[in-house]
Amino acid sequence: MNGAGIERQETRRTGVLGLFGVAVVLACSAVIACAGGPALSDPRTMTFKPVEFTPPEPDRVVFDNGMVVYLLEDHELPLITVTATMKTGTWLDPADKVGLAALTGALMRTGGGGGLTPEQVDEELEYFAGDVSVSIGHESGSASLDVLKKDLKRGLRIFSGLLRTPAFDPARVEIAKLQAIEAIRRRQDNPGSVVGREFMKLLYGPDHPSARETSIASVTGITRDDLAAFHRNTIHPNGIILGVTGDFQKGEMLAALREVFGDWAKGPVPELKIADVPESQRATPAIRFVNKETSQTHLRVGHLTIRENDPDYVALAIANDILGGSSFRSRLFNDVRTKRGLAYSVGSRLMAGVHDQGVWLMRAETKLVSTQEVVSRFIANIERMRTEPVTDQELAEAKEAYVNSFVFSFSSPSAIVSRLVELENDGLPKDFLQQVREKVIALTKEDVLAAAKKHLHPDRLKIVAVGSGDMLPKVLSTFGEVKEIKLSPEG
């Protein structure tokens, strides 16, 4: 059974169980009432106070070389996890070598290091059931070590060796490049991936660090010396935050970390600075389509938006939740799917960080003949969000969902440390999430309406559709001038 079939089956199963549970409760209420006992409340009318939760506070230590360490003990199991967040990223890729940072991260793990060959690293980790991963994403790099308490020193020796002195084994470099090239050759196969990539390029521009993509030429041109130079120029202890959780004693752990990282010299840390898209480009609507043989039209509709530290972020996030971010209770789901049956998958997303302009989008997969109506319903729902206050029930449900899910941001010691590391790396206060929670609680319908009116722009929409047939541009022309994106053959 494919993924969609499993999802439908799971939805049906969950729905049946939910209805069954409600029926049982109501039946029991009736029986108790008939028996003269107190009737149970209808679960649909029950209300609960917001979950109150104060997470434990990790220790924070700064080494002489600038490396920051967060530590939170957890003695439930004899396991230890060490994570490293590094101030590097694919935003630093040279224009002619896009893919350099990602390859550097992959080969820091697979290419050997710390005086060990790739085979020796794998054999050592396999021998004591340790696990190490390293990767470099858009705005930062990450690495992790999972190890039994008794094998901590062996694990740290390997972990620090891969971070400090990766070997970039030449044979492994060639293998990684071939794998990256093969992925490029296949990336036009999935229409969902195509529409996502082309949408980002339309938003930011194809040469912007947040939208540019690798090519066979860019990967082919990357050398082992390029990898070593990228590591040497961007990864230093004063640009790393470690997070340590598990079964350890603070003093012993700090001694072990200083032993493997303490003599690592400081270096110049790149300042994370991503250029804004010019206002003229942001404000200009655009409609594009990709002619690709597929059973459904894959749609992305949206525009660039605010950052996470904007004063209006909380109100806009709740507006998006009501519009399409909350799945089964959202307006888009109930309008486009439930009421009109135009799409099985529909919703909206607000993707906002601190260093780059945020993205707000609506998405759907629908039949070609329904494409025009779906886009029309998207626009109609934006206008409604901009002109009508949300209902008391919509606001209460959205606020309750966020406030009561807050505890899951701190569901384990590793989650607690991970959150604090992430906040410090982004330059946000450590109580940022608590501040967001309090703002959500205080939010009013007027706040949501003002944010929607200010930050949702139907006149700035970028529309990208991937679908088959000559009818697609005609269908989209209702909303403006349509241009075709011709995908370049890969390899």
Side-chain angles (χ1 to χ4, degrees):
M1 182 181 296
N2 61 28
I6 293 172
E7 184 179 349
R8 285 193 295 271
Q9 189 179 69
E10 180 63 20
T11 301
R12 287 195 298 270
R13 185 177 70 85
T14 305
V16 169
L17 289 176
L19 291 173
F20 177 75
V22 171
V24 168
V25 171
L26 294 177
C28 289
S29 299
V31 169
I32 293 173
C34 291
L40 297 178
S41 299
D42 184 337
R44 291 167 294 188
T45 64
M46 296 173 70
T47 59
F48 303 91
K49 293 181 180 179
V51 175
E52 296 292 340
F53 175 68
T54 303
E57 186 77 17
D59 292 309
R60 181 182 180 276
V61 177
V62 182
F63 290 168
D64 292 339
N65 60 8
M67 180 177 280
V68 177
V69 184
Y70 280 90
L71 307 102
L72 184 59
E73 298 179 24
D74 176 16
H75 302 287
E76 184 176 357
L77 295 171
L79 304 172
I80 294 175
T81 296
V82 182
T83 63
T85 298
M86 301 171 281
K87 290 186 178 296
T88 181
T90 63
W91 69 277
L92 290 164
D93 281 348
D96 61 339
K97 293 187 178 180
V98 177
L100 174 59
L103 271 178
T104 301
L107 282 153
M108 285 172 66
R109 168 59 186 87
T110 62
L116 300 177
T117 67
E119 293 77 16
Q120 287 172 328
V121 170
D122 292 340
E123 289 170 4
E124 280 271 312
L125 291 172
E126 184 177 353
Y127 182 77
F128 60 82
D131 183 64
V132 171
S133 66
V134 186
S135 64
I136 295 179
H138 180 46
E139 295 181 358
S140 65
S142 62
S144 66
L145 165 69
D146 290 292
V147 68
L148 289 168
K149 176 182 179 179
K150 67 182 182 64
D151 300 310
L152 174 65
K153 289 196 173 181
R154 297 175 70 180
L156 281 178
R157 178 175 59 84
I158 294 172
F159 185 63
S160 63
L162 297 179
L163 294 186
R164 295 182 59 172
T165 55
F168 299 116
D169 177 79
R172 294 295 181 99
V173 170
E174 292 308 310
I175 291 172
K177 289 172 63 176
L178 289 173
Q179 290 172 335
I181 290 170
E182 181 59 26
I184 291 170
R185 289 190 174 120
R186 300 177 60 138
R187 69 184 174 195
Q188 312 292 33
D189 295 347
N190 187 328
S193 297
V194 171
V195 73
R197 291 197 310 273
E198 296 302 327
F199 182 69
M200 295 298 280
K201 285 192 280 187
L202 190 60
L203 289 179
Y204 288 99
D207 298 324
H208 191 277
S210 300
R212 63 190 179 185
E213 57 187 12
T214 56
S215 66
I216 291 176
S218 72
V219 172
T220 300
I222 295 171
T223 67
R224 180 188 176 280
D225 288 343
D226 293 328
L227 301 171
F230 187 88
H231 173 270
R232 184 172 59 252
N233 293 333
T234 70
I235 298 179
H236 307 285
N238 47 314
I240 294 178
I241 306 175
L242 294 182
V244 188
T245 57
D247 189 12
F248 62 86
Q249 300 296 329
K250 176 183 174 182
E252 295 175 359
M253 176 59 71
L254 288 174
L257 292 173
R258 284 193 172 96
E259 184 178 338
V260 295
F261 289 119
D263 62 346
W264 191 1
K266 290 183 179 181
V269 176
E271 180 187 0
L272 180 50
K273 203 167 185 179
I274 301 174
D276 282 353
V277 174
E279 177 62 21
S280 58
Q281 180 179 332
R282 293 182 61 189
T284 304
I287 306 170
R288 301 289 184 269
F289 79 97
V290 178
N291 192 346
K292 185 174 180 60
E293 195 64 35
T294 175
S295 60
Q296 300 245 307
T297 300
H298 293 254
L299 276 171
R300 296 291 186 275
V301 179
H303 52 65
L304 292 176
T305 189
I306 58 178
R307 290 175 168 82
E308 192 177 10
N309 53 356
D310 189 283
D312 292 334
Y313 169 74
V314 170
L316 186 61
I318 293 299
N320 174 72
D321 185 76
I322 293 168
L323 175 64
S326 58
S327 186
F328 295 108
R329 59 180 169 81
S330 74
R331 289 182 176 182
L332 288 179
F333 187 91
N334 284 293
D335 182 17
V336 176
R337 173 174 162 163
T338 304
K339 181 180 177 181
R340 302 174 190 274
L342 299 174
Y344 177 75
S345 175
V346 62
S348 65
R349 280 186 76 186
L350 175 63
M351 301 178 287
V354 175
H355 306 286
D356 200 2
Q357 289 163 293
V359 173
W360 171 76
L361 64 86
M362 296 172 289
R363 55 163 184 80
E365 286 80 50
T366 188
K367 293 180 291 186
L368 174 63
V369 295
S370 307
T371 302
Q372 180 180 339
E373 188 176 0
V374 169
V375 177
S376 296
R377 296 316 306 164
F378 280 174
I379 295 172
N381 276 280
I382 298 174
E383 294 288 5
R384 184 185 172 199
M385 288 297 302
R386 286 168 45 85
T387 56
E388 299 177 13
V390 298
T391 67
D392 292 332
Q393 182 178 351
E394 285 176 322
L395 182 62
E397 287 178 348
K399 291 169 65 172
E400 183 179 29
Y402 182 88
V403 171
N404 287 338
S405 68
F406 175 77
V407 65
F408 296 108
S409 297
F410 306 93
S411 58
S412 66
S414 60
I416 293 168
V417 169
S418 177
R419 289 288 182 181
L420 290 174
V421 168
E422 181 182 353
L423 291 171
E424 178 163 343
N425 189 61
D426 284 338
L428 296 171
K430 66 179 182 179
D431 65 341
F432 178 76
L433 295 180
Q434 288 89 336
Q435 291 180 25
V436 169
R437 181 179 184 272
E438 295 307 312
K439 289 177 182 177
V440 169
I441 292 172
L443 205 63
T444 67
K445 293 190 294 183
E446 290 72 26
D447 296 330
V448 175
L449 179 62
K453 188 175 295 186
K454 183 177 179 181
H455 298 292
L456 300 183
H457 302 289
D459 59 330
R460 293 186 172 194
L461 292 178
K462 304 286 198 295
I463 301 173
V464 177
V466 176
S468 57
D470 297 331
M471 287 293 295
L472 191 55
K474 183 177 180 180
V475 166
L476 294 172
S477 64
T478 308
F479 308 101
E481 182 185 4
V482 183
K483 295 182 180 179
E484 182 177 2
I485 298 171
K486 292 187 178 292
L487 299 179
S488 303
E490 303 285 8

